[in-house]
């Protein structure tokens, strides 16, 4: 029966284009090759029998191998490899075999392929929208008992995913937030005051657009709105987006007084006038306001991560996730760019959206105790402070945003600057300033987004308004939501 459920699941999963957020691949960046701790991937065709051979019983005195599948860019890959090496050093007899795939959404098809050959890993990152599907298929390990007995510390609700049975099956390794990076050198050149690190003092939307226009210039020195401005010859943009993936723009629906789905999961808010208007304000930046370079829903960015955008010198402000803190410092080290971090501009209110790729345990593991111990290690902020210091992850427990001693631990590195710290704490400690990405609590989210993604690029390329595009498919979205 379980095998039949998996087969049915794969039929749907392979049709999806989803990703768990974290880091995102750059256009032209070579794919990160799958690797284990010896930098060599075992062919997935050598499945169940090879896996059993490599996982000898700990009681027999042999090493236990834990298979760990995750996605990462080069920076995060090095960070996680270091964490796994530290775990192995402190846990003799445990070996972590790592398989790494690019951070471009391919984790979904990778897991589906492994499931079809009955060769699932022990632990894996997973696209948020897939957790409920795999839990319902009966192949994920419930984490409730481990949380109840304290093996796994209680995590933020915002990064906890429950199955249809109410049990917890996935937890975000990190609590990522969307905010704004900017080039202070460009701001200084144009004598413009820096944006705020406080939610309370966030720029009003019109002020933000006006500043973005002042920072957008064509090859002849003209700005949007000037006579003779040539958008096709823009040499510097006021604002850029890594991509127009879900959490990169959906925060605007909430900030404008609307939303996507109510926090209790019972009401679709996506078609509210305020929601449509908020998303349209984002879309207008591209062709109406002419302050942003083209972007699409694809996670393979044509611009690159924040450090690449700033090193290029043709972007003044850049919206992306907190994970880019692990990259953006390179702009300073490699090119001397004086960068800053700020809150997003406000509409009706100042808000951001959280995300944070979850990790799951598969109940097909032959060593649940050892695997659960490693899982709890990776989930415990105390154990991964070195990763938190890089900014690649943010703490997934509430106390790490209020306890001064804990805050000091993850903000003591050079990556999490004082500005970044202020932005993160302002969002996390301001009631109502963070909208939870609905993927965490809406069972039909993947199917809803498959419908939405089919039309949203027509918005980002200027061929239709948000109202026109979503109007074509809103009935279908509502039908998927109601299932």
């Amino acid at each position: 029966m379980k095998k039949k459920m998996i087969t049915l699941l794969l039929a749907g999963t392979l049709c999806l284009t989803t990703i768990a957020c974290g880091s995102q691949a750059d256009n032209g960046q070579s794919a990160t090759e799958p690797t284990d701790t010896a930098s060599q991937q075992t062919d997935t065709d050598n499945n169940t029998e090879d896996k059993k051979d490599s996982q000898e019983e700990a009681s027999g005195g042999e090493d236990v191998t834990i298979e760990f599948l995750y996605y990462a860019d080069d920076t995060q890959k090095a960070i996680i490899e270091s964490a796994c090496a530290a775990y192995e050093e402190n846990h003799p007899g445990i070996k972590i075999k790592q398989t790494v795939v690019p951070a471009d959404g391919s984790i979904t098809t990778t897991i589906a392929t492994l499931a079809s050959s009955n060769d699932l890993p022990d632990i894996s990152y997973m696209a948020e929208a897939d957790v409920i599907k795999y839990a319902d298929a009966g192949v994920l390990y419930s984490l409730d008992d481990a949380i109840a007995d304290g093996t796994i510390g209680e995590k933020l609700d915002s990064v906890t995913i429950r199955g249809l049975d109410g049990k917890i099956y996935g937890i975000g390794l990190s609590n990522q937030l969307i905010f704004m990076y900017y080039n202070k050198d460009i701001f200084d050149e144009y004598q413009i005051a820096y944006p705020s690190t406080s939610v309370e003092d966030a720029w009003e939307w019109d002020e933000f657009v006006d500043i973005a226009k002042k920072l957008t210039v064509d090859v002849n020195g003209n700005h949007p709105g000037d006579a003779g401005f040539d958008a096709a010859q823009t040499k510097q943009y006021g604002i850029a987006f890594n991509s127009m993936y879900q959490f990169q723009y959906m925060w605007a629906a909430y900030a404008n007084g609307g939303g996507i789905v109510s926090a209790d999961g019972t009401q679709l808010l996506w078609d509210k006038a305020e929601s449509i208007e908020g998303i349209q304000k984002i879309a207008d930046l591209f062709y109406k306001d002419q302050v942003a370079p083209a972007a699409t829903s694809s996670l393979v960015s044509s611009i690159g991560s924040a450090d690449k955008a700033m090193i290029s010198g043709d972007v003044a402000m850049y919206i992306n996730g907190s994970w880019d803190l692990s990259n953006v410092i390179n702009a300073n080290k490699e090119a001397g760019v004086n960068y800053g971090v700020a809150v997003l501009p406000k509409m009706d209110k100042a808000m951001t959206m959280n995300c944070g790729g979850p990790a799951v345990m598969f109940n097909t593991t032959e060593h649940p105790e050892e695997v659960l111990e490693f899982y709890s290690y990776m989930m415990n902020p105390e154990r991964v402070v070195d990763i938190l210091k890089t900014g690649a992850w943010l703490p997934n427990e509430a106390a790490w945003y209020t306890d001064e001693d804990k805050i000091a631990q993850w903000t003591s590195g050079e990556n999490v600057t004082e500005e970044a710290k202020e932005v993160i704490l302002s969002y996390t400690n301001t009631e109502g300033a963070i909208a939870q990405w609905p993927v965490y609590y809406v069972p039909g989210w993947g199917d809803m987004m498959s419908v939405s993604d089919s039309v949203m690029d027509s918005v980002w390329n200027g061929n239709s308004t948000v109202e026109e595009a979503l109007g074509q498919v809103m009935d279908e979205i509502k039908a998927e939501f109601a299932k």
Side-chain angles (χ1 to χ4, degrees):
M1 181 65 178
K2 183 179 290 186
K3 186 172 182 180
K4 180 179 180 182
M5 292 179 71
I6 294 175
T7 301
L8 292 172
L9 171 67
L10 297 179
T13 300
L14 288 171
C15 295
L16 298 176
T17 302
T18 58
I19 188 169
C21 71
S23 182
Q24 298 169 357
D26 302 332
N27 189 42
Q29 177 182 337
S30 59
T32 306
E33 292 296 329
T35 179
D36 57 22
T37 49
S39 299
Q40 182 178 7
Q41 180 189 10
T42 301
D43 192 295
T44 56
D45 288 333
N46 298 328
N47 48 44
T48 307
E49 292 305 316
D50 291 336
K51 183 174 180 179
K52 289 181 179 179
D53 290 341
S54 68
Q55 293 188 322
E56 300 293 337
E57 290 295 332
S59 59
E62 301 293 334
D63 287 350
V64 170
T65 298
I66 296 174
E67 296 188 4
F68 180 25
L69 170 65
Y70 62 95
Y71 59 80
D73 61 12
D74 289 340
T75 299
Q76 293 200 34
K77 176 175 174 286
I79 293 167
I80 294 171
E81 285 179 338
S82 177
C84 290
Y87 187 84
E88 290 178 333
E89 183 177 351
N90 290 300
H91 295 79
I94 300 295
K95 301 297 180 184
I96 310 299
K97 188 175 78 170
Q98 302 167 58
T99 301
V100 188
V101 297
D104 58 2
S106 57
I107 191 74
T108 290
T109 52
T110 299
I111 293 174
T113 300
L114 293 171
S116 68
S117 59
N118 295 317
D119 191 32
L120 288 166
D122 299 298
I123 295 177
S124 176
Y125 284 19
M126 181 173 279
E128 288 91 336
D130 288 343
V131 175
I132 296 176
K133 293 177 181 291
Y134 278 89
D136 195 39
V139 295
L140 298 188
Y141 189 98
S142 170
L143 305 170
D144 290 67
D145 289 344
I147 293 173
D149 66 19
T151 300
I152 299 175
E154 187 171 353
K155 308 303 177 187
L156 292 164
D157 283 341
S158 58
V159 294
T160 300
I161 304 180
R162 291 173 170 81
L164 298 177
D165 58 4
K167 294 182 179 180
I168 296 173
Y169 290 97
I171 298 173
L173 293 144
S174 170
N175 178 39
Q176 307 283 13
L177 301 173
I178 304 299
F179 47 61
M180 189 164 67
Y181 302 87
Y182 65 98
N183 188 322
K184 290 184 176 181
D185 298 324
I186 295 177
F187 272 69
D188 291 344
E189 178 184 350
Y190 287 83
Q191 299 182 343
I192 295 174
Y194 302 151
S196 177
T197 59
S198 168
V199 170
E200 183 179 352
D201 298 321
W203 279 338
E204 296 289 343
W205 186 260
D206 289 346
E207 179 184 11
F208 160 69
V209 173
D210 182 58
I211 289 171
K213 288 180 177 179
K214 292 177 181 177
L215 295 172
T216 300
V217 60
D218 68 12
V219 293
N220 296 314
N222 296 315
H223 303 271
D226 291 347
F229 175 72
D230 186 354
Q233 297 294 317
T234 301
K235 71 173 184 179
Q236 176 180 290
Y237 287 97
I239 184 71
F241 293 79
N242 178 269
S243 82
M244 298 315 298
Y245 192 66
Q246 303 167 24
F247 43 75
Q248 303 280 16
Y249 71 87
M250 286 184 173
W251 58 269
Y254 293 89
N256 202 54
I260 304 297
V261 178
S262 61
D264 61 6
T266 63
Q267 184 181 1
L268 189 71
L269 307 175
W270 210 339
D271 59 342
K272 289 186 63 176
E274 295 87 348
S275 307
I276 299 297
E277 182 184 54
I279 298 172
Q280 187 63 52
K281 287 179 180 180
I282 298 288
D284 285 346
L285 296 173
F286 296 100
Y287 295 99
K288 178 184 177 182
D289 301 320
Q290 299 180 305
V291 296
T296 69
S297 299
S298 171
L299 281 152
V300 181
S301 170
S302 62
I303 302 170
S305 52
D307 58 321
K308 293 180 175 60
M310 290 188 180
I311 289 172
S312 72
D314 55 11
V315 172
M317 297 178 284
Y318 184 91
I319 291 177
N320 201 24
S322 52
W323 57 84
D324 237 353
L325 289 171
S326 65
N327 294 314
V328 72
I329 193 171
N330 297 326
N332 182 271
K333 291 182 175 180
E334 296 176 16
V337 175
N338 185 20
Y339 70 91
V341 182
V343 295
L344 298 169
K346 68 183 294 186
M347 294 181 185
D348 177 63
K349 49 189 172 182
M351 292 190 68
T352 187
M353 179 166 276
N354 86 295
C355 53
V360 300
M361 276 181 60
F362 289 97
N363 60 19
T364 50
T365 180
E366 297 183 354
H367 302 290
E369 291 184 7
E370 291 84 358
V371 172
L372 185 59
E373 184 176 0
F374 175 62
Y375 185 95
S376 66
Y377 167 87
M378 295 298 288
M379 285 291 169
N380 186 349
E382 291 282 1
R383 303 293 187 183
V384 293
V385 169
D386 286 344
I387 298 180
L388 300 179
K389 286 181 180 179
T390 69
W393 294 2
L394 296 182
N396 59 10
E397 295 181 3
W400 287 71
Y401 300 99
T402 56
D403 184 296
E404 291 298 332
D405 291 337
K406 294 182 184 298
I407 292 171
Q409 291 186 58
W410 60 271
T411 61
S412 61
E414 62 179 348
N415 291 28
V416 184
T417 63
E418 184 63 24
E419 285 181 333
K421 170 186 171 181
E422 290 174 4
V423 168
I424 294 164
L425 294 182
S426 182
Y427 274 132
T428 55
N429 294 325
T430 300
E431 186 176 359
I434 301 175
Q436 186 181 19
W437 187 17
V439 70
Y440 287 103
Y441 58 95
V442 178
W445 185 255
D447 294 328
M448 290 166 62
M449 288 311 305
S450 292
V451 176
S452 171
D453 288 345
S454 70
V455 298
M456 283 306 294
D457 275 339
S458 69
V459 173
W460 310 133
N461 64 29
N463 287 332
S464 64
T465 66
V466 176
E467 184 175 17
E468 290 168 344
L470 289 180
Q472 300 173 42
V473 296
M474 188 53 68
D475 286 344
E476 191 174 352
I477 289 174
K478 289 179 177 179
E480 294 294 343
F481 177 70
K483 287 182 179 178

